[in-house]
Amino acid sequence: MEKKDLKSLNYDQLQQELLAMGEKTFRARQMYQWFHEKLADTPQDMSNLPQALKNRLAQEYVCTDLEILEVLTSATDGTQKFLFRLADGNVIESVLMRYHHGNSVCISSQVGCRMGCRFCASTLGGLTRNLLPGEMLDQIYKIQKYSNERVSNLVVMGTGEPLDNYENLLQFIHMLSDEHGLHISQRNITVSTCGIVPRMYDLAKEKLQITLALSLHASTQEKRTKLMPIALKYELEEVLAACRNYFEKTGRRLTFEYSLVSNVNDSQEDAKRLAALIGKINCHVNLIPVNPIKEREFVQPDRRAAEQFRAKLERAGVNATIRRTLGEDVNASCGQLRKSYMDTQEKKGQA
Ligand code: SAH
């Protein structure tokens, strides 16, 4: 049987494991605090744990302990991009962004992705595997320790489709917002999805206070299908109905993400249709000038075109901002760092 990952266990699960080993409840409290408040890497660092127990834990369990492979710091805005190695050798990336309102971390939820969005670098190699709750948490823990600065906001917008790793995502959110963990407010957590409709309904039932961001990227079903294969499975109208339901059940304003691609979805007509489509939903639109990737032909609209698109939405009463692109000089978006790392490894292998 596969060994359980200690860092992925919530408090009740950890307690169960320890009780089954003949330990007392206070050990579970101690260990949970070491892992999730004091950010101990492994049980070896837990100074008040008996050596015999540490040895047994090391034999019977595994413990996520991400290795920092590389940290790239943007010369322009201080954004830092982290490349981590997982225990099985897979590589993932995360980003630390510094804003006036605090530090925000963007994490990956899967190794690779199987959603196939046309403009996205993370999906080019397909899905390798889901990340465990502990592997999502440890991205934040390692970044907080490395920077020695508190992380106050979290976005699940790195590599992967979070709702395609639903159970692990939920456990991760509960552990991250738990008062016996980093205690990051759910209101400061955003989960971005390409629109897996049944999971959006499930998430609404959880009644979490997190923000749901939907990757919309088009104002018609036809255009969306060309950019996002998932649109073939769940049509635009169904996705928007799931968004409305999320607001009704949670009271949380939706975020729509819209990557602007020159001559594909950035016309004034597109803006007008978009406004009509989502105008009645309590929402905010994040416009992201597309980050061109070398494998595809997509071109970013210039600043003026993006501004005109935003203005058109605003005039129609839809709240919109153009996302400040942070860390462009360090490949800080959408799986590009991991991809360039893997390309280099591949070349080395062939040489
Ligand atoms: N699977 C999730 C998270 C993906 S990344 C989702 O689909 O929402 C977060 C956002 O970045 C998504 O809106 C995604 O569509 C967008 N994105 C991916 N690659 C991009 C690129 N090259 N340029 C601009 N936005 C991109």
Side-chain angles (χ1 to χ4, degrees), residues 244-309:
R244 283 190 287 268
N245 174 71
Y246 190 81
F247 176 73
E248 279 159 23
K249 293 286 185 318
T250 64
R252 301 288 296 160
R253 184 176 79 160
L254 270 292
T255 296
F256 289 112
E257 291 165 282
Y258 193 100
S259 297
L260 287 166
V261 188
S262 188
N263 292 322
V264 174
N265 63 3
D266 69 335
S267 71
Q268 290 288 293
E269 253 325 282
D270 285 303
K272 193 174 153 196
R273 265 195 312 262
L274 178 62
L277 202 60
I278 61 174
K280 291 211 177 75
I281 302 178
N282 188 340
C283 71
H284 180 89
V285 178
N286 256 332
L287 298 169
I288 322 165
V290 76
N291 267 295
I293 55 174
K294 66 175 191 307
E295 290 79 2
R296 302 267 190 270
E297 303 285 279
F298 296 124
V299 178
Q300 211 176 69
D302 60 28
R303 187 77 205 175
R304 213 175 115 252
E307 186 45 50
Q308 280 173 354
F309 194 94

Side-chain angles (χ1 to χ4, degrees), residues 316-333:
V318 175
N319 249 299
T321 41
I322 301 173
R323 193 190 287 167
R324 211 155 52 97
T325 40
L326 292 174
E328 266 179 313
D329 52 333
V330 289
N331 259 335
S333 46

Side-chain angles (χ1 to χ4, degrees), residues 11-39:
Y11 177 71
D12 289 343
Q13 294 165 336
L14 184 64
Q15 188 181 26
Q16 266 176 25
E17 298 293 326
L18 287 166
L19 290 179
M21 290 171 95
E23 295 290 334
K24 300 254 167 37
T25 292
F26 82 93
R27 279 279 176 240
R29 273 202 305 275
Q30 232 176 19
M31 277 186 68
Y32 198 85
Q33 190 185 35
W34 270 115
F35 273 134
H36 305 290
E37 274 184 68
K38 302 192 211 169
L39 312 189

Side-chain angles (χ1 to χ4, degrees), residues 174-220:
H174 283 297
M175 289 169 77
L176 185 66
S177 53
D178 191 290
E179 57 176 324
H180 299 296
L182 282 192
H183 200 13
I184 295 183
S185 162
Q186 287 187 1
R187 293 175 167 267
N188 295 345
I189 300 176
T190 298
V191 170
S192 177
T193 179
C194 62
I196 303 192
V197 168
R199 294 290 89 73
M200 291 168 73
Y201 280 98
D202 291 342
L203 194 64
K205 281 191 216 134
E206 303 288 336
K207 297 227 167 63
L208 299 170
Q209 281 301 295
I210 62 171
T211 299
L212 183 63
L214 176 83
S215 298
L216 192 56
H217 304 323
S219 57
T220 65

